[in-house]
Amino acid sequence: MKGHVILSHGSDSGPEGTKVMALAAVAMACGWRASRADYRDLDARGMVACIDPRIARLRQMMRPGERTVLVGSSMGAFVSGLASIEMSIAGLFLIALPLEIPGYENPFDAARVPTVVAHGWNDELCPASEVVSFARQRRSTLLMVPDTHRLAEHVELIAEHFRAFLATVDAQPDLAAPADVVE
């Protein structure tokens, strides 16, 4: 196995959601272990109340020393970014990214790792202009498509970009591995 891909669904979805299932299949076909988090029980607490417990569950899914890529859609992207700050990860693939959740005290942030953001120009929940600005500031790869928040018309294209992203991450040195000691 090349590493572990952990996929986080949005608040109105689940681990069997179309995007999460499609990207999990890509990860496995590329030689990565894929885990799909299930946050539905936490989401029942409400939009703001589920965030910290989602991050905690995501942390529990990680194995120390294992190369990990976090993938998230909507609320899953938000918590993946926040979780990445506290954990050693190899990359982030963020879909339909909200840069703020009204009522949540912490602003969105993410680790400075290879990052792809896939977003819809017609996203009715997360303004495209804000996501473009975020990606520009971070020098992240940005895939903008003519679609809504669900990105239902572009799942295959997003999956193709995810496959390319995993190849890029795979080509990077594993920073979690111990370095050779030179004397």
Side-chain angles (χ1 to χ4, degrees):
M1 285 288 145
K2 295 177 179 181
H4 188 191
V5 172
I6 303 175
L7 302 109
S8 294
H9 63 80
S11 59
D12 290 331
S13 186
E16 291 83 28
T18 305
K19 291 182 293 290
V20 169
M21 292 285 289
L23 299 184
V26 167
M28 291 184 291
C30 291
W32 291 72
R33 184 166 69 90
S35 298
R36 293 173 286 134
D38 188 351
Y39 303 114
R40 292 174 293 185
D41 62 318
L42 302 175
D43 292 345
R45 299 177 182 187
M47 187 69 69
V48 173
C50 75
I51 295 172
D52 291 334
R54 271 175 166 253
I55 293 169
R57 185 166 293 170
L58 184 52
R59 276 194 227 121
Q60 291 174 349
M61 295 179 73
M62 292 185 63
R63 293 182 184 167
E66 183 176 41
R67 176 179 264 193
T68 303
V69 170
L70 299 181
V71 177
S73 178
S74 192
M75 175 64 84
F78 189 80
V79 299
S80 293
L82 291 177
S84 74
I85 297 167
E86 303 171 9
M87 306 182 301
S88 176
I89 64 163
L92 284 167
F93 197 90
L94 307 173
I95 305 164
L97 174 63
L99 293 173
E100 67 175 296
I101 303 294
Y104 187 67
E105 61 187 29
N106 298 324
F108 179 77
D109 199 6
R112 300 282 180 170
V113 295
T115 302
V116 170
V117 179
H119 204 80
W121 283 114
N122 305 322
D123 191 315
E124 65 282 9
L125 301 177
C126 307
S129 61
E130 293 175 11
V131 173
V132 170
S133 180
F134 170 81
R136 179 182 299 120
Q137 290 171 339
R138 298 293 295 256
R139 303 259 192 263
S140 299
T141 300
L142 178 62
L143 171 64
M144 294 297 299
V145 296
D147 208 337
T148 64
H149 186 70
R150 294 207 177 269
L151 294 164
E153 300 299 317
H154 292 88
V155 174
E156 288 180 28
L157 178 63
I158 292 167
E160 289 173 27
H161 279 262
F162 183 56
R163 182 182 316 279
F165 175 68
L166 287 179
T168 301
V169 170
D170 196 34
Q172 301 287 325
D174 186 358
L175 301 176
D180 292 335
V181 176
V182 178
E183 295 184 32

